[in-house]
Amino acid sequence: MKDVNIVLKGSNIKLEITVFLGCLLFAFLVNIYAILKFGSPWYEVVTSLHYVLGLTVAAYVVIGILRLIVQLLKLVFNRVKRRTLDEST
Amino acid sequence: MSEDNLSGSKTAENRRNFLKKLAVFAGSSGVLASMPWWSPLRADPPGSSAMDRVRLGVIGVGSRGRKLMLHLMQTPGVEIAAVCDDYEPHYKRAIEESGGKAKAFYDYRELLEMKDLDGVVIGAPLFEHARMCIDSLKAGKHVFCEKSLAYNFEECAGIVRAYRESGKIFQIGYQRLYSLPFLKAKEYIDSGAIGKITQIRTCWHRNNDWRRPIPGPEWERKINWRLYREYSCGLMTELASHHLQVVNWVLDAHPISAVGYGSVNHWKDGRELYDSVNVVYKYPDGVNVIFDSLISNRRYGMEIQIMGPEGTIEAEKGKIYSEHPPAPPAIVRLINELERDILDSVPIGGPSWAPDLETDSKGKWLVPGWSGEETAIQLSAFAAAIREGKPIPNMMKHAYEGGVAALMGQFAMEQGREIKWPQVEGLQI
């Protein structure tokens, strides 16, 4: 079996943290919007933090799947493009 | 001490510790105001001296009577001095299980002649209750009688009269009087937590033929007495009686009248008493109480649903539900709303209509962690009352009103007419 070395660069980690923080901000804002919409008490900003965290993880997973699909499409597109160039030369 | 600590007590020593906890709990004013029949439990657990010992005889040691006897053997300060049963296998088993120390009788009247016996515990079939209770009280014995009180109105009144004349202690086998969740339910009701009670719905469903094994056909009526009208009033006196006592207690009233229908629609095996009953009781202030029971389906089990405009109590489950439960957090509501918008179908009747299905509120436990020790508490109270020599407050009232209410339902079904609460002249309950 072929060995595969996965190298996690600092820039990758930074990107993932940024995406996760973006999701956290999104979930936090959703909670604020819900509190305003239903006229709920403001202490729910704190008491609903576990829901916010849950929504963050869910959003991160969804975005992760979307990014994976984009990467796969890019890969396929590049292969097709390369094959076309090879055939034309 | 918290109410949670009152759960669980299996061995004799545990039971002694349990009684110590109970003494503190029962001494609190809140308990005594709602449940004065707990007052004998204020006493400390008895010591081991002969003076502290209560000597009891158990009459009828079949199924329930045997359980009571085994409980009593675990109760500190109680000695099983005599056992009685006219069915040989039960008679022999009782001698064996009581360690051979108890005197054994076939005839309860001989047992009552024992001078050194403080009281009796009656676990015999319903039709025997009246004469056994009356004879025991007349013989100067304190009486614990299994529910329901008696076979007809006259017999119920007869027991009350004998009790008044004797001045002895009387206890009836309504365990819910000693249940903490029921106490808590009563407190919630009195505090207005569910509003004024508007309806009570009670049910007791099982799925078995209600038969006990018999050694030969000649024993059928003797052993399966609960199936025959000559000896019992079936589901009403054996099951409904418990719930009707609770209803009388929470409404602080007895029924005005009863109507109902009953049938043998599944177990057509020669039994005379109904295997399916539906009875409606009319109580003061326009409150109706529904009892239904069947022994061909156990999906809904047993329950007492006490309903008011502000909430519901499911007393058997031990839960209270508000009609206006607190809303979930805003973020959960938002997600639920999105889910509904995306996933829900629009009913044919139009989007403004939705079926009135059961609400899915989870409710709140009346007494978290309660594991049920009602029979043990009740028997301890009986023994403590004998030791104190003081009657158990309100006990005969519960026994009489619960027993009569059960009979009203049976008579209403049998006679196909409304049965009114019997007015018995000069009867002091």
Side-chain angles (χ1 to χ4, degrees):
Chain A
M1 200 178 154
K2 194 180 165 187
D3 285 344
V4 179
N5 289 326
I6 298 172
V7 181
L8 210 56
K9 291 183 203 160
S11 59
N12 293 133
I13 296 169
K14 200 175 164 186
L15 177 67
E16 294 310 314
I17 290 171
T18 309
V19 172
F20 189 81
L21 286 176
C23 292
L24 184 65
L25 181 67
F26 162 76
F28 189 79
L29 290 175
V30 167
N31 191 23
I32 300 287
Y33 168 74
I35 289 169
L36 288 170
K37 179 178 161 77
F38 295 109
S40 299
W42 280 104
Y43 61 71
E44 283 189 15
V45 172
V46 179
T47 56
S48 292
L49 274 179
H50 54 297
Y51 292 114
V52 170
L53 203 62
L55 187 61
T56 303
V57 172
Y60 182 71
V61 169
V62 170
I63 288 171
I65 292 167
L66 289 175
R67 287 165 67 203
L68 198 68
I69 291 168
V70 169
Q71 289 297 324
L72 284 171
L73 286 174
K74 266 188 184 173
L75 198 73
V76 171
F77 182 74
N78 286 340
R79 275 195 185 171
V80 171
K81 199 176 166 186
R82 202 179 303 141
R83 199 175 292 163
T84 317
L85 282 173
D86 287 349
E87 282 170 5
S88 62
T89 53
Chain B
M1 187 188 66
S2 78
E3 290 162 0
D4 310 25
N5 294 342
L6 291 175
S7 301
S9 62
K10 295 287 176 269
T11 67
E13 190 50 40
N14 279 348
R15 193 152 288 187
R16 195 176 293 278
N17 294 331
F18 178 59
L19 287 176
K20 276 184 192 165
K21 290 179 193 171
L22 271 183
V24 178
F25 179 74
S28 63
S29 57
V31 173
L32 292 180
S34 326
M35 303 211 288
W37 47 91
W38 278 60
S39 59
L41 293 163
R42 282 175 302 179
D44 282 335
S48 52
S49 76
M51 289 287 284
D52 284 335
R53 206 173 307 142
V54 170
R55 288 168 56 80
L56 297 176
V58 185
I59 304 173
V61 282
S63 172
R64 184 64 187 161
R66 173 176 175 254
K67 279 184 188 148
L68 293 174
M69 186 185 81
L70 296 176
H71 262 294
L72 284 165
M73 288 166 65
Q74 297 282 319
T75 307
V78 171
E79 181 186 336
I80 303 294
V83 292
C84 174
D85 205 298
D86 60 0
Y87 180 57
E88 191 69 20
H90 292 169
Y91 173 89
K92 280 185 178 162
R93 186 180 62 191
I95 295 171
E96 194 183 313
E97 288 184 333
S98 62
K101 291 177 195 160
K103 282 189 182 175
F105 300 90
Y106 290 106
D107 187 331
Y108 78 94
R109 287 166 297 191
E110 288 172 22
L111 178 146
L112 293 178
E113 284 170 14
M114 283 177 71
K115 296 281 178 244
D116 55 350
L117 203 62
D118 296 306
V120 293
V121 172
I122 300 170
L126 181 78
F127 78 106
E128 304 258 39
H129 285 185
R131 68 187 183 109
M132 286 179 174
C133 284
I134 293 169
D135 287 349
S136 302
L137 291 166
K138 282 185 176 166
K141 309 298 182 203
H142 303 294
V143 172
F144 178 107
C145 182
E146 253 311 320
K147 64 91 199 66
S148 196
L149 186 59
Y151 184 77
N152 58 40
F153 295 152
E154 293 74 27
E155 287 185 355
C156 289
I159 294 175
V160 176
R161 286 195 197 95
Y163 164 70
R164 291 288 169 212
E165 284 163 15
S166 72
K168 291 290 159 186
I169 290 153
F170 185 87
Q171 168 86 289
I172 187 87
Y174 284 141
Q175 303 97 295
R176 285 157 186 79
L177 288 169
Y178 293 90
S179 158
L180 287 185
F182 281 83
L183 162 67
K184 206 72 189 168
K186 178 75 167 116
E187 280 178 7
Y188 272 122
I189 291 163
D190 291 347
S191 71
I194 63 165
K196 183 187 165 295
I197 295 172
T198 45
Q199 191 176 103
I200 301 179
R201 208 165 56 174
T202 87
C203 65
W204 204 314
H205 297 182
R206 290 175 173 175
N207 195 349
N208 60 53
D209 61 6
W210 223 24
R211 286 190 164 279
R212 287 174 183 151
I214 49 171
E218 68 276 20
W219 293 100
E220 166 65 7
R221 293 176 83 86
K222 170 86 179 158
I223 304 298
N224 286 312
W225 56 271
R226 292 182 301 177
L227 310 181
Y228 299 99
R229 187 65 184 90
E230 193 181 345
Y231 315 109
S232 173
C233 291
L235 296 172
M236 294 310 295
T237 46
E238 301 309 315
L239 303 182
S241 187
H242 277 299
H243 283 176
L244 293 167
Q245 175 272 313
V246 174
V247 170
N248 293 341
W249 176 26
V250 299
L251 291 176
D252 199 16
H254 60 68
I256 298 166
S257 60
V259 291
Y261 291 101
S263 61
V264 180
N265 67 16
H266 183 72
W267 299 104
K268 295 176 181 175
D269 54 3
R271 71 185 61 205
E272 295 163 4
L273 284 160
Y274 305 133
D275 63 4
S276 171
V277 300
N278 297 73
V279 182
V280 180
Y281 290 91
K282 180 175 160 185
Y283 276 77
D285 295 330
V287 178
N288 291 337
V289 173
I290 301 154
F291 174 79
D292 77 271
S293 182
L294 76 163
I295 48 175
S296 53
N297 180 302
R298 65 182 293 271
R299 169 75 179 89
Y300 296 104
M302 66 168 176
E303 194 49 87
I304 306 177
Q305 300 165 335
I306 306 165
M307 293 170 275
E310 303 301 322
T312 302
I313 288 174
E314 289 180 355
E316 295 288 6
K317 199 177 282 171
K319 279 195 152 186
I320 181 167
Y321 307 85
S322 172
E323 283 290 292
H324 318 287
I331 190 167
V332 176
R333 288 171 73 185
L334 185 72
I335 291 166
N336 288 343
E337 208 174 87
L338 286 169
E339 262 180 17
R340 263 198 307 276
D341 288 349
I342 296 164
L343 300 175
D344 273 13
S345 57
V346 177
I348 289 169
S352 64
W353 181 86
D356 283 331
L357 298 175
E358 181 184 346
T359 55
D360 62 355
S361 158
K362 287 190 172 58
K364 193 171 90 172
W365 292 106
L366 293 168
V367 180
W370 175 252
S371 65
E373 282 287 341
E374 292 88 353
T375 301
I377 300 173
Q378 183 176 36
L379 291 168
S380 299
F382 179 58
I386 294 175
R387 219 172 280 117
E388 275 190 327
K390 288 182 188 165
I392 305 172
N394 288 23
M395 192 49 66
M396 183 50 88
K397 181 178 159 66
H398 281 293
Y400 182 79
E401 293 185 348
V404 168
L407 294 173
M408 285 168 70
Q410 181 67 22
F411 298 160
M413 290 185 288
E414 284 171 348
Q415 297 171 28
R417 66 181 178 93
E418 184 181 37
I419 299 292
K420 296 203 183 299
W421 178 262
Q423 300 297 331
V424 184
E425 209 172 312
L427 189 71
Q428 187 203 345
I429 304 161

